[in-house]
Amino acid sequence: QVQLQESGPGLVKPSETLSLTCTVSGGSISSYYWSWIRQPPGKGLEWIGNIYYSGSTNYNPSLKSRVTISVDTSKNQFSLKLSSVTAADTAMYYCARDTGLGMNYWGQGTLVTVSS
Amino acid sequence: DIQMTQSPSSLSASVGDRVTITCRASQNISSYLNWYQQKPGKAPKLLIYAASSLQSGVPSRFSGSGSGTDFTLTISSLQPEDFATYHCQQSYSTFFTFGPGTKVDIK
């Protein structure tokens, strides 16, 4: 059974960089696309971007200037960096496996709060 | 980018009711449409992919239909565990977008 687990700081200061890692277990990261999605409190889902195991990426145009997604196949992990954060970036952040026909495995999510 | 809308934004229904949720894309997305269920405090769960294919393990009371710009998620007989928020998502473009969600609660 594939499992995903997000990890990283739960509190980030304004203007700093948010960094999260998603660890994949029960299966290899060396296939499929791997996505980051976020959900501000009480709001809908926003897709941030994804990465193929080879390193090819796609980003949400509204976040593209601030987002970097990377993959470490040796650790079965992929990561998210979001720079110059503001309070608007406060959200639950999820990682997910994208088969090309929907995201069928998700992490439990990690809440990131942007505050000084 | 492709905008997704859903209607209604919320609905109240009773156990046993037939429930229909609509999702509309701002342009033709063929059948690249997925549906998710999300319960409070939980991650979304994939229900339907490619507009009408049932994800493994999902009860058959869930079904999806549509193509092009208009899509429907139907729950044939609402069960207590189905009270949740439902999201549609297009995967036609390399920039995925979600609908705003439809909350289904108890009448």
Side-chain angles (χ1 to χ4, degrees):
Chain A
Q1 176 78 348
V2 175
Q3 293 185 312
L4 289 78
Q5 178 67 58
E6 304 90 350
S7 59
L11 180 63
V12 181
K13 290 182 168 55
S15 80
E16 295 190 345
T17 296
L18 178 161
S19 296
L20 296 174
T21 296
C22 182
T23 301
V24 179
S25 59
S28 174
I29 203 170
S30 295
S31 57
Y32 302 111
Y33 276 89
W34 302 89
S35 279
W36 286 99
I37 305 99
R38 70 180 183 178
Q39 186 171 36
K43 296 189 177 181
L45 298 165
E46 180 180 37
W47 181 79
I48 299 170
N50 65 12
I51 189 164
Y52 195 52
Y53 74 95
S54 61
S56 170
T57 54
N58 297 291
Y59 296 135
N60 183 325
S62 70
L63 298 170
K64 187 173 184 177
S65 64
R66 299 194 291 131
V67 172
T68 302
I69 297 176
S70 58
V71 64
D72 186 338
T73 55
S74 67
K75 295 182 179 179
N76 238 31
Q77 294 176 335
F78 63 107
S79 298
L80 168 70
K81 291 188 185 299
L82 180 66
S83 64
S84 304
V85 297
T86 69
D89 296 309
T90 294
M92 185 71 77
Y93 284 76
Y94 296 101
C95 58
R97 188 180 86 171
D98 176 19
T99 67
L101 293 172
M103 289 174 272
N104 63 346
Y105 287 102
W106 293 65
Q108 64 185 21
T110 188
L111 179 63
V112 179
T113 302
V114 178
S115 175
S116 56
Chain B
D1 50 319
I2 301 173
Q3 307 294 328
M4 308 299 294
T5 58
Q6 287 181 236
S7 61
S9 57
S10 65
L11 66 89
S12 295
S14 301
V15 173
D17 283 354
R18 182 181 181 89
V19 170
T20 298
I21 299 169
T22 297
C23 177
R24 177 165 290 173
S26 61
Q27 67 183 71
N28 186 345
I29 59 170
S30 185
S31 295
Y32 290 89
L33 190 284
N34 309 306
W35 289 98
Y36 300 85
Q37 176 193 66
Q38 186 179 27
K39 296 182 179 179
K42 299 294 186 181
K45 171 188 173 183
L46 180 64
L47 297 177
I48 302 284
Y49 63 92
S52 60
S53 295
L54 194 66
Q55 174 68 7
S56 176
V58 174
S60 59
R61 63 180 179 274
F62 291 93
S63 63
S65 64
S67 66
T69 60
D70 294 319
F71 302 87
T72 298
L73 173 70
T74 299
I75 309 172
S76 61
S77 178
L78 197 66
Q79 298 302 299
E81 60 268 31
D82 301 337
F83 292 96
T85 298
Y86 294 85
H87 307 271
C88 62
Q89 175 241 333
Q90 65 80 19
S91 53
Y92 178 82
S93 75
T94 55
F95 162 32
F96 299 162
T97 47
F98 287 90
T102 295
K103 185 176 182 180
V104 177
D105 61 21
I106 302 171
K107 182 183 285 185

